[in-house]
Amino acid sequence: MATQTWRKSVSWADRLLDLFITVILAAVAIVTIYPFLNVLALSLNDSTDSVRGGITIIPREFTLENYKLIFSFGGLVTGFKISVLRTVVGTLLGLISSSMLAYALARPDFQGRRFVSVYLAITMYVSAGLIPVYLLIKDLHLMGTFAVYILPGLVSAFNVFVIRSFIDGLPYALQESAKIDGANDFTIYWRIVLPMTTPALATIALFIAVGQWNSWFDTYLYNATSPHLTTLQYELTKVLQSTTAGNGGDYRTTNMTQVLSTVSPESVKMAITMVVTVPILLVYPFLQRYFVKGMTLGAVKG
């Protein structure tokens, strides 16, 4: 009976509005998903056939030659391992460092919070430049080491401010009550503040992970002569150069020349795009629930 009453109360204007919203959301979904599916189809399609055009979301002549070319280069396995390692280690250490500093800045009893906040804000707008940074990395003896991927970007001012803003929105009475019960600052940070800032940490973790995974220029600057520290993005950059400019150096072998004659640079670009994008897409669903949780917490009124 209640259902029938609710259906009668829904006017044609409401139904028209629902239909309009559904159409708009469907169009946005199509516009968002179609480029990804198109790139996937081109990467799985024969390169000579792709030149004809007309490929949408389904490969016309299915082939794996584009991916065989990419994974035939020896440095990709090492690069994949190093990229995964730097992403995991860099994300964890970056979260811990940024959240600890944000917790300190969010404490009203921290006397130097204003000075440190201004100092961090200045670093967001003022940079010494590439050459001074390179000389600093060299003087610190970080070149040719794995630490050069982690230490220079360990603390980000933007990440610190985002986490601090989230902590500022939490009831400070929780920290005061824990202090009365005998908890020290580290216990409050680890057992009270961190669990309540999970949505912010998940957001920052995604930012850091994507940045670490996509980074290749630091490998080019500091570890180009260290094959055991190469990254996936840097190796794929060399693959792309070898297919477009034809001057791939060590990559240009007799077998590679034969393979390159069967693929096109455009097809290789699409395959590379899929290789570097899919891992991040697989990680996002595990973090999405924390975004929803953060929106739910933000909607609760005390």
Side-chain angles (χ1 to χ4, degrees):
M1 189 70 179
T3 304
Q4 294 179 355
T5 303
W6 178 82
R7 289 179 178 177
K8 291 180 180 179
S9 62
V10 178
S11 63
W12 65 270
D14 294 332
R15 295 177 181 177
L16 184 62
L17 179 61
D18 292 340
L19 178 62
F20 177 76
I21 294 175
T22 302
V23 172
I24 294 298
L25 293 178
V28 172
I30 294 174
V31 171
T32 304
I33 298 176
Y34 176 79
F36 178 81
L37 297 179
N38 180 249
V39 171
L40 177 62
L42 289 173
S43 67
L44 294 173
N45 195 75
D46 182 72
S47 60
T48 57
D49 179 72
S50 299
V51 178
R52 297 165 46 197
I55 304 296
T56 54
I57 62 174
I58 300 177
R60 191 161 48 217
E61 294 187 13
F62 181 83
T63 182
L64 295 176
E65 290 299 326
N66 300 317
Y67 291 94
K68 288 181 180 179
L69 169 65
I70 294 176
F71 291 105
S72 62
F73 294 105
L76 288 184
V77 176
T78 302
F80 180 80
K81 294 179 181 178
I82 296 298
S83 292
V84 172
L85 182 61
R86 70 173 292 181
T87 300
V88 174
V89 175
T91 301
L92 292 178
L93 294 182
L95 279 179
I96 293 175
S97 302
S98 298
S99 60
M100 291 182 71
L101 181 55
Y103 167 68
L105 295 178
R107 293 289 299 265
D109 54 347
F110 176 44
Q111 299 298 327
R113 58 181 297 185
R114 180 175 179 83
F115 171 77
V116 177
S117 298
V118 173
Y119 179 81
L120 287 176
I122 291 175
T123 63
M124 297 177 61
Y125 302 101
V126 179
S127 175
L130 179 61
I131 295 178
V133 172
Y134 180 86
L135 295 177
L136 176 62
I137 296 297
K138 184 178 180 180
D139 291 340
L140 293 176
H141 304 288
L142 293 178
M143 297 186 64
T145 64
F146 180 79
V148 76
Y149 297 142
I150 308 299
L151 294 181
L154 191 61
V155 176
S156 170
F158 175 79
N159 296 341
V160 171
F161 289 144
V162 170
I163 300 176
R164 190 195 69 174
S165 299
F166 197 91
I167 296 177
D168 287 337
L170 301 177
Y172 187 69
L174 294 176
Q175 300 184 37
E176 292 179 333
S177 61
K179 196 79 172 180
I180 295 175
D181 292 337
N184 55 31
D185 290 332
F186 183 79
T187 302
I188 296 174
Y189 160 76
W190 187 259
R191 304 190 62 177
I192 296 179
V193 175
L194 275 189
M196 298 185 67
T197 57
T198 302
L201 295 179
T203 304
I204 299 302
L206 187 62
F207 291 163
I208 299 176
V210 171
Q212 288 283 5
W213 178 259
N214 290 333
S215 182
W216 67 272
F217 194 58
D218 50 2
T219 307
Y220 173 74
L221 288 177
Y222 311 123
N223 288 336
T225 58
S226 303
H228 64 288
L229 293 175
T230 188
T231 57
L232 178 63
Q233 307 293 343
Y234 180 62
E235 292 299 317
L236 292 177
T237 300
K238 293 196 292 185
V239 173
L240 185 61
Q241 290 176 350
S242 67
T243 58
T244 55
N247 55 355
D250 295 337
Y251 284 99
R252 180 67 65 175
T253 63
T254 302
N255 293 334
M256 285 299 100
T257 302
Q258 295 176 355
V259 174
L260 289 174
S261 62
T262 63
V263 299
S264 65
E266 193 66 25
S267 299
V268 174
K269 288 180 183 178
M270 300 305 170
I272 289 176
T273 302
M274 294 304 305
V275 170
V276 301
T277 303
V278 168
I280 293 297
L281 291 179
L282 296 178
V283 172
Y284 179 76
F286 297 97
L287 299 177
Q288 184 180 12
R289 63 191 183 98
Y290 295 108
F291 299 145
V292 177
K293 180 180 178 181
M295 295 175 61
T296 304
L297 291 176
V300 174
K301 302 297 181 181

